[in-house]
Amino acid sequence: KNEVEQSPQNLTAQEGEFITINCSYSVGISALHWLQQHPGGGIVSLFMLSSGKKKHGRLIATINIQEKHSSLHITASHPRDSAVYICAVLYGNNRLAFGKGNQVVVIP
Amino acid sequence: DAGITQSPRHKVTETGTPVTLRCHQTENHRYMYWYRQDPGHGLRLIHYSYGVKDTDKGEVSDGYSVSRSKTEDFLLTLESATSSQTSVYFCAISANRANTIYFGEGSWLTVV
């Protein structure tokens, strides 16, 4: 079983600040997903990556396969970035394991 | 947005009654999944399907069954609902296991 740990569990930032949230996992993976869940429940896929770095707008996701670690960075944070960010890893026999999420609140 | 719809979106039911949740997709994706989301837990896989009539169990499959008679529809049935099955249920789809995964809006189920 692949354990997925996300940190920090809760993060509060002022609008405009740079935010970093982290995901660590315990066994080798073939891909990692970052998902966003707003209050009310809808889950949106932000990134899927297996190496290096991806950027979309103000969001940057990085992964270090050797260290079994990924980070999601939010530049120039905005209140609309307030959400739960979920890390999920694809491992073994094509299984997905999910972390419990990072709750991010951005204050105006 | 990926074309996934879940129904019903909200349901309250009594203990012991059967309940069926429907997931419908318009993307013709091969893989469909049912997850449940509970406080203090990550999303947990109940069952998934890798084709019409091809399904397999996930990590929390006890008390649930699924059926997929058409590519576009994946049904989740609680055979005899219990209070421990009060949860938010998410359907998801992907073209293959290593592709982007798309989620439905969720179905809130309360068993009283």
Side-chain angles (χ1 to χ4, degrees), chain B residues 2-66:
Chain B
I4 311 172
T5 54
Q6 293 183 224
S7 59
R9 294 289 315 283
H10 299 270
K11 186 173 181 65
V12 180
T13 193
E14 293 185 348
T15 299
T17 60
V19 176
T20 295
L21 305 180
R22 180 182 183 235
C23 178
H24 178 78
Q25 62 147 329
T26 58
E27 306 296 320
N28 202 35
H29 281 352
R30 179 182 176 191
Y31 288 87
M32 299 185 76
Y33 313 84
W34 277 108
Y35 293 96
R36 60 178 291 174
Q37 187 178 44
D38 304 288
H41 295 272
L43 286 156
R44 292 182 292 174
L45 181 65
I46 304 171
H47 283 279
Y48 71 99
S49 169
Y50 48 96
V52 173
K53 295 195 171 124
D54 292 323
T55 64
D56 204 353
K57 294 179 180 180
E59 59 186 302
V60 290
S61 59
D62 287 348
Y64 301 95
S65 62
V66 289

Side-chain angles (χ1 to χ4, degrees), chain B residues 74-93:
Chain B
F74 192 33
L75 304 180
L76 176 71
T77 298
L78 288 64
E79 290 135 13
S80 177
T82 68
S83 59
S84 65
Q85 293 175 312
T86 292
S87 187
V88 184
Y89 292 86
F90 285 95
C91 175
I93 65 173

Side-chain angles (χ1 to χ4, degrees), chain A:
Chain A
K1 185 177 176 182
N2 204 345
E3 300 294 333
V4 181
E5 298 291 333
Q6 294 187 239
S7 63
Q9 189 174 352
N10 295 286
L11 183 154
T12 299
Q14 290 291 134
E15 183 174 357
E17 287 185 344
F18 182 84
I19 291 171
T20 295
I21 53 180
N22 302 292
C23 175
S24 298
Y25 49 90
S26 57
V27 300
I29 67 169
S30 53
L32 182 143
H33 298 261
W34 278 104
L35 310 169
Q36 181 190 55
Q37 185 173 26
H38 280 289
I43 300 173
V44 175
S45 179
L46 298 174
F47 296 102
M48 188 186 72
L49 62 166
S50 54
S51 64
K53 180 168 80 172
K54 286 190 176 180
K55 184 176 189 291
H56 185 257
R58 295 179 294 105
L59 301 179
I60 303 167
T62 64
I63 188 168
N64 185 318
I65 295 293
Q66 288 73 29
E67 294 186 4
K68 296 185 173 61
H69 180 267
S70 174
S71 294
L72 179 66
H73 307 284
I74 305 174
T75 62
S77 60
H78 190 277
R80 64 175 174 266
D81 297 324
S82 298
V84 175
Y85 293 85
I86 300 168
C87 172
V89 298
L90 185 66
Y91 71 101
N93 186 20
N94 287 321
R95 293 276 176 173
L96 262 181
F98 292 82
K100 295 178 183 177
N102 306 91
Q103 172 78 61
V104 172
V105 175
V106 181
I107 299 171

